[in-house]
Every structure is written in C-alpha cells, then in structure tokens.
C-alpha cells in the first residue's frame, strides 16, 4: 500500500513525540526535576528560572497568589522542548492532593509518567493514589529515587517497597554508591559503568565523568575501602532484582528505576534518556465508536483541562487539547463533536517553552491551547471529517460538600454563571438539589473551595460564604429502563440533584444510606465517576 506524503510526515513526527507527566508526593522534587529537564532541553538557560517563571505568574492574579502563599502548585502547565531528536511534551501536575482531579485528567493525556520518590521517605500516600490512576490505563512508569545527597533509606528496601506497595516490578537501571556525604555516584548495571558525582557542581556540569568497568583499577581506586562492600551489595541486587524488560515496561508491569539528586542535577539526564529511548510514542486512543491510531491523517483530539488564563482581566480561558491523530494546522476547520458544530481554529497556542518560534503546526502527542469563550468543556472532542468522541476522561465523585450562601442576593445570576463556568473548568462541582433552591459545591479536596471563593470574588465580583452540609458522597444515576428510573426519581427526590452539566445525581447523606439505596434499587446504576459527555 502506498502512503501519502502527509501520512509519512505524521507518522514520522508522531514517532518523535514523548508525552509524559511527573507524578510524586508533594516535596519529592518535581519542580526541581522539571527545571533540570528544561535545562537539558535548552528550553531555559539558567537554573532558577522555573521558580522565577512561577513567581511572575503569581503576580498576575490573586488566586495564584494564594498558590504562592501556600507554597504548592495549583495549575497544570505544558512544556515542549526538543531532546536528542525527540520532541518532549512535559505536562506538569499539581502535587497537592486537593487538586487530584486535575492530575487524574492530565494523566489521561500522557503516554508515560515519571514517578519521583524522595529517597529518605520512600513510597508516600500521594504516589500510591497516582499510581492507581496510571494503572487504570497501564501507563508505563519510569522511577527516579531522588535526594541521594541526603540520608536515604536502604535502596534495596526502597525497591521492595515499590514492588510491594505499588504492585509493580522494579528493575534498577542504576545503583547508588553511598548517599549523603558519601554519595559517590551511580553504577549503571547494563553498561558496567560508574557515573561520578561531584558535589556542588549542580547544573554547571554538562555531563558526569565516568569510569568504565566496576572491576577496573580506576574504579577500585575511586571507591577505595568501599569497593568490596559495594561489589558485594551489587551481587545481591543483581541476584534479587528484575532485569529491565521493554515489553513489561510498556504494559505498565515493570518500572525501570534510577537514582540521583535533582538538586545536584545528577541522574536526571539518565531518566530523560530512558524516556526518550524506551517510553512509548503516542498511543492509540479509544473513542465511542473505534480506536484511533496516531498516524491517521485526519486530525482528532480531546480536551483534558480548562484553565483560566493567567490574565484575569480578559477572563479568557484556555482549553488544553491533546492531539490523538493527524496534524493541526493554523486556521483549520474542525467538528466540535458535542455541539455538532464546525469551528475554525485560527489561533491555537503551542507551548514551545523557549518561545523562539511560533509554531503553526502540531502533531499527535502535542498539546495545543484553544481559546475558550464558554463553548468548550473538559472531555470535548474535536475532529476532522469523521465525528469521533473520545472516552475515558472522568469526573470523580466529590467527597466534600458546602452549601453556597450569597452575601448580596441581587448577584444570584452572576453567582450561577460563575459557578457554572468554574465547574466547567473542573475547579469544583456544582449541584442543584431538586427539593429546594440550594446550591451545593462538591470537591475532592478542601482547598478547591478557597480557589472557587477567591475566583468568584475576583473574576465575577460575587462574594459568598460556604456552610457545612451533611453529605457523604455523590453518585451519578444511570438507568436504561425509563419506568424504573421514574419510579426511583419519584421516591428518592429528596436526595436528587442536577450537576453543572444537567446530569442526575444522588447526594448521599451517609455511606449507610447509599448502601441501602443501592440494595433497594438494583436496576439503578450509582456511578462514582462520570464521563464528560
Ligand atoms: N537535598 C536535596 N533537596 C532536594 C532535591 N531535590 C529537591 N530538593 C528540595 O526539596 C524541596 C521540594 O522540592 P520541589 O522540587 O519544590 O518539590 P515538588 O515535588 O515540586 O513540590 P510540590 O510543588 O509541593 O509538588 C525543595 O526545597 C528542593 O530544593 C535533592 O536532590 N536533594
């Protein structure tokens, strides 16, 4: 079969893409690693600019000032840079658990993930939760054990913990030689090569110095008295650990493990090399009708995140779209599948972080930003030709609820509009109970309420207070049998509500209540997640 030049170009470009996110428990070193990755991709010139870029952003709006105050990152950003013939798309995710929904959805847009573990702490709660999400799609994971310049736990114990707690096989690619003040570098098992760490060089050093062969005289001299102990430990490790297996890695069953220090910029290059060489190029994605391969020539993609622009004065919002197939070209016409409308995309943003050139094209694996004036929602699909609706971008049932009380009753229209838009962005979920005029906000993390209040005030000029409300969780209702559904909605109307997207929802006051209802109404589906259609 002959292929068109366009098909060839798309395949070639897609094969170069590596789209991944970094997942970690807060404080494990995600921001520091991001900065080193950007340095390697020459997307920034000097260390420290990621932090300062953040600081600039903070200055632009109050709710981001809040992020600064609390010292956590709330928003997800996208960074693109070339590295060794690849085009890397790095998706940043907020580390704080209160923003987990955003993180979950970002993980639907990547093809692999980098898991950062603080070597002193091991596998922490947030890492476990994020791994569970990755497992839903068998996302391949590369692991980096960070902070070797400090006292870390026994590396064998750390690998055991990864295997036991995260239920994934761990294959060490490098092995650390000492830690803290005695951190001498890492040994690459397959290469039989030592990479030497020199404290204090940090991002100044372009490449680590190496010694070939653990048995070489040079290596013996370098390790001195520690040589015999290290060789012994290594034998143990090689006997007990899994070898790297590409197929198991791609299936999400095995993670290659690297050691280093992000702060000292040591070992991060090995991780990026692994992502560039072994991590998958853009993978096929499922739609309601069929699977879409990245090298199909017709464009398709889905929106996984909507973010209020950094500049609140214009109140424009950016929808982040992951390209699944074809080529984006400036000015192209696409179907907005949910609305059944054709739209012209003239001014999509790309996220080439060096800002050296304005890109007019983008390919599978890339993320583009669409200006959104209210017509785009999370989960929306855009396609050329055939109408394709991508699946698998979920809403999660909130576990925290507040009743919204408006301070100025004349502002109820603005309040509704604000809440509707913030819910579309995924900042929180909004519910309108059937039995009264209450407005209930739902969230996965308590900080989401603060963000909503602060943005309502700044962007919609609405002041409101939140009151405690006695709810345990929400479940989206589904039932194919219209008669049964009617019977249920009549009986359960006290606890039913519509969410921001007009979906019928059951607001359960207690866990026991929900269990009883599920037992009593076996034909009704109570869903803990909802797809965005
Ligand atoms: N000693 C040492 N400290 C490190 C290393 N990497 C990061 N840190 C420090 O650990 C702290 C947290 O690092 P960040 O990169 O901000 O962590 P983060 O995971 O982005 O944190 P969140 O934004 O909360 O998600 C900072 O004080 C870093 O300087 C390392 O290799 N060694």
């Amino acid at each position: 079969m002959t292929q068109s030049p366009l098909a060839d170009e798309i395949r070639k470009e897609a094969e170069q893409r590596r789209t991944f996110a970094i997942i970690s428990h807060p404080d494990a070193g995600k921001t520091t690693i991001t900065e080193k990755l950007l340095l390697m991709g020459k997307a920034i010139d000097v260390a420290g600019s990621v932090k300062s870029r953040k600081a600039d952003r903070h200055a632009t709006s109050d709710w981001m000032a809040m992020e600064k105050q609390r010292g956590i990152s709330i928003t997800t950003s996208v960074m693109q840079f070339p590295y060794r013939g690849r085009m890397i798309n790095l998706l940043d995710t907020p580390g704080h658990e209160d923003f987990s929904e955003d993180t979950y959805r970002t993980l639907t847009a990547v093809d692999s993930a980098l898991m950062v573990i603080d070597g002193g702490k091991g596998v922490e709660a947030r890492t476990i939760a994020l791994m569970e999400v990755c497992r839903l799609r068998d996302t391949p994971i590369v692991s980096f054990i960070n902070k070797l310049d400090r006292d870390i736990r026994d590396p064998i114990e750390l690998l055991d913990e990864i295997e036991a707690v995260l239920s994934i096989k761990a294959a060490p690619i490098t092995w650390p030689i000492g830690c803290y003040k005695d951190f001498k570098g890492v040994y690459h098992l397959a290469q039989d090569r030592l990479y030497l760490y020199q404290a204090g060089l940090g991002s100044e050093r372009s490449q680590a110095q190496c010694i070939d062969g653990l048995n070489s005289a040079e290596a013996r001299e370098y390790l001195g008295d520690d040589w015999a102990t290290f060789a012994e430990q290594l034998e143990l490790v090689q006997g007990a650990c899994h070898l790297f297996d590409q197929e198991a890695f791609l299936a999400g069953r095995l993670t290659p493990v690297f050691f280093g220090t992000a702060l000292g910029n040591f070992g991060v290059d090995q991780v990026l090399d692994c992502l560039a060489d072994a991590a998958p190029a853009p993978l096929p994605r499922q739609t309601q009708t069929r699977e879409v391969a990245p090298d199909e020539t017709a464009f398709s993609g889905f929106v996984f995140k909507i973010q209020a622009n950094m500049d609140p004065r214009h109140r424009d919002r950016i929808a982040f779209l992951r390209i699944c197939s074809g080529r984006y070209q400036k000015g192209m016409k696409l179907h907005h599948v949910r609305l059944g409308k054709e739209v012209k995309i003239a001014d999509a943003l790309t996220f080439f972080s060096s800002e050296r050139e304005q890109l007019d094209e983008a390919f599978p694996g890339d993320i583009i930003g669409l200006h959104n004036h209210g017509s785009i929602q999370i989960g929306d699909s855009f396609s050329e030709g055939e109408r394709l609706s991508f699946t698998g971008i979920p809403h999660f049932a909130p576990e925290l609820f507040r009743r919204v009380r408006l301070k100025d009753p004349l502002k109820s229209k603005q309040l509704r509009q604000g809440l509707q838009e913030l819910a579309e962005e995924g900042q929180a979920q909004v519910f309108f109970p059937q039995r009264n005029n209450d407005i209930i906000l739902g969230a996965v993390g308590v900080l989401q309420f603060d963000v909503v209040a602060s943005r309502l005030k700044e962007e919609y000029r609405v002041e409101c207070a939140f009151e405690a409300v006695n709810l345990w969780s929400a479940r989206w209702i589904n039932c194919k049998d219209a008669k049964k559904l009617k019977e249920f909605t009549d009986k359960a109307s006290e606890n039913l509500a519509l969410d921001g997207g007009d979906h019928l929802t059951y607001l359960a006051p207690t866990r026991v209540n929900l269990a009883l209802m599920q037992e009593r109404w076996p034909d009704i589906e109570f869903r803990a997640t909802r797809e965005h259609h």
Side-chain angles (χ1 to χ4, degrees):
M1 200 172 79
T2 52
Q3 292 282 353
S4 70
L6 177 61
D8 283 344
E9 187 190 356
I10 291 170
R11 184 174 319 105
K12 203 173 120 250
E13 293 282 346
E15 275 165 11
Q16 288 172 3
R17 262 50 182 187
R18 294 293 180 274
T19 304
F20 68 93
I22 306 182
I23 58 175
S24 69
H25 195 83
D27 260 5
K30 188 157 52 66
T31 308
T32 314
I33 289 193
T34 302
E35 178 177 285
K36 302 306 185 242
L37 293 172
L38 293 179
L39 276 170
M40 257 168 259
K42 305 207 169 29
I44 53 170
D45 301 327
V46 281
S49 41
V50 169
K51 295 246 157 62
S52 67
R53 193 181 57 107
K54 272 192 174 176
D56 290 347
R57 269 195 348 220
H58 291 139
T60 60
S61 89
D62 267 0
W63 66 280
M64 290 203 177
M66 213 170 78
E67 169 183 7
K68 195 177 170 191
Q69 265 170 27
R70 298 185 196 249
I72 54 161
S73 24
I74 294 180
T75 52
T76 305
S77 33
V78 175
M79 288 151 274
Q80 185 182 57
F81 58 89
Y83 180 73
R84 283 190 24 211
R86 302 275 189 232
M87 187 58 87
I88 309 285
N89 292 304
L90 169 56
L91 276 58
D92 190 18
T93 57
H96 196 283
E97 64 176 324
D98 284 0
F99 294 90
S100 47
E101 278 207 84
D102 205 31
T103 307
Y104 289 144
R105 287 191 290 249
T106 296
L107 289 175
T108 64
V110 302
D111 302 298
S112 56
L114 167 59
M115 173 165 76
V116 181
I117 289 176
D118 183 326
K121 296 189 174 144
V123 178
E124 295 176 88
R126 185 90 185 101
T127 321
I128 301 173
L130 288 163
M131 261 301 283
E132 277 166 14
V133 178
C134 288
R135 189 157 293 123
L136 294 176
R137 297 175 55 244
D138 298 327
T139 307
I141 313 266
V142 177
S143 301
F144 182 67
I145 298 186
N146 191 23
K147 307 199 184 179
L148 269 282
D149 59 326
R150 287 201 194 152
D151 225 355
I152 65 154
R153 287 170 45 194
D154 176 1
I156 295 186
E157 205 182 289
L158 287 170
L159 289 204
D160 278 350
E161 191 169 275
I162 291 177
E163 297 209 332
V165 178
L166 302 176
S167 316
I168 189 167
K169 290 179 184 163
I173 305 298
T174 61
W175 197 256
I177 310 169
C179 70
Y180 192 39
K181 290 199 176 107
D182 297 324
F183 182 48
K184 294 199 168 72
V186 296
Y187 172 73
H188 196 295
L189 280 82
Q191 294 172 353
D192 184 22
R193 178 180 289 165
L194 281 73
Y195 290 81
L196 313 183
Y197 172 67
Q198 287 163 288
L201 285 187
S203 46
E204 304 294 318
R205 183 181 38 75
S206 55
Q207 240 175 356
Q209 288 186 320
C210 300
I211 296 176
D212 277 319
L214 181 61
N215 284 319
S216 67
E218 218 184 328
R220 284 171 195 267
E221 190 187 314
Y222 183 74
L223 294 184
D225 291 345
D226 296 334
W227 187 90
T229 336
F230 182 75
E232 210 172 285
Q233 191 191 38
L234 204 63
E235 211 167 296
L236 195 78
V237 170
Q238 279 165 323
C241 289
H242 294 99
L243 286 177
F244 179 69
D245 171 344
Q246 177 74 10
E247 205 182 308
F249 165 59
L250 292 181
R253 294 195 310 269
L254 173 143
T255 176
V257 182
F258 294 83
F259 292 83
T261 154
L263 198 63
N265 198 5
F266 186 84
V268 183
D269 50 350
Q270 290 168 336
V271 169
L272 188 56
D273 284 341
C274 175
L275 283 158
D277 296 336
L283 296 167
R285 304 268 150 174
Q286 193 60 44
T287 68
Q288 281 178 341
T289 40
R290 65 180 183 88
E291 195 173 78
V292 174
D295 57 0
E296 293 182 23
T297 48
F299 176 96
S300 70
F302 64 88
V303 172
F304 62 95
K305 180 184 171 68
I306 292 178
Q307 192 176 330
N309 202 14
M310 312 311 167
D311 186 352
R313 280 167 307 182
H314 295 112
R315 206 192 280 174
D316 61 334
R317 292 177 288 154
I318 301 296
F320 289 81
L321 177 140
R322 144 103 196 197
I323 302 180
C324 299
S325 66
R327 172 176 65 171
Y328 162 76
Q329 273 189 309
K330 203 177 168 137
M332 78 190 305
K333 289 207 175 99
L334 295 173
H335 295 298
H336 185 323
V337 179
R338 180 176 54 84
L339 297 185
K341 268 192 1 201
E342 197 174 45
V343 290
K344 187 173 168 188
I345 312 285
D347 52 357
L349 304 171
T350 47
F351 300 96
F352 205 64
S353 36
S354 63
E355 289 173 51
R356 275 189 304 249
E357 45 190 296
Q358 178 65 45
L359 292 188
D360 294 328
E361 288 186 325
F363 293 92
D366 288 347
I367 311 297
I368 56 174
L370 308 178
H371 289 280
N372 177 22
H373 306 287
S375 61
I376 307 178
Q377 293 180 7
I378 292 170
D380 277 348
S381 300
F382 287 81
S383 61
E384 205 180 7
E386 188 184 348
R387 280 149 221 250
L388 293 164
S389 227
F390 288 91
T391 58
I393 307 110
H395 263 305
F396 292 85
E399 281 156 13
L400 299 165
F401 298 89
R402 297 284 186 274
R403 183 183 292 116
V404 184
R405 196 167 53 76
L406 193 57
K407 289 195 176 150
D408 175 357
L410 294 177
K411 293 260 176 112
S412 84
K413 213 175 127 215
Q414 286 92 328
L415 175 71
R416 279 195 176 241
Q417 189 200 348
L419 286 176
Q420 201 87 34
E421 289 186 12
L422 293 176
E424 273 166 25
E425 246 180 64
Q427 288 296 346
Q429 297 180 43
V430 58
F431 299 98
F432 304 102
Q434 291 188 335
R435 68 182 155 117
N436 56 27
N437 284 327
D438 278 0
I439 299 179
I440 307 283
L441 267 193
V444 178
V446 76
L447 227 50
Q448 283 175 266
F449 295 124
D450 296 6
V451 173
V452 169
S454 155
R455 291 189 54 190
L456 280 174
K457 188 162 164 231
E458 289 306 313
E459 295 168 33
Y460 300 88
R461 306 275 162 233
V462 179
E463 285 203 55
C464 59
F466 298 135
E467 294 168 350
V469 49
N470 220 352
L471 290 173
W472 175 72
S473 193
R475 290 292 181 271
W476 285 282
I477 296 301
N478 198 37
C479 180
K480 290 205 176 70
D481 184 335
K483 207 171 131 234
K484 288 250 162 59
L485 183 63
K486 169 91 175 53
E487 214 177 293
F488 172 73
T489 50
D490 287 347
K491 281 266 162 45
S493 65
E494 273 290 288
N495 293 328
L496 288 175
L498 290 179
D499 74 0
D502 277 343
H503 300 270
L504 190 63
T505 317
Y506 184 78
L507 298 178
T510 62
R511 184 195 290 267
V512 175
N513 169 283
L514 179 64
L516 281 175
M517 289 305 277
Q518 283 171 311
E519 207 179 286
R520 204 168 295 159
W521 301 92
D523 301 308
I524 304 287
E525 264 184 85
F526 293 80
R527 293 188 177 165
T529 58
R530 172 173 81 66
E531 294 260 325
H532 285 264
H533 304 112

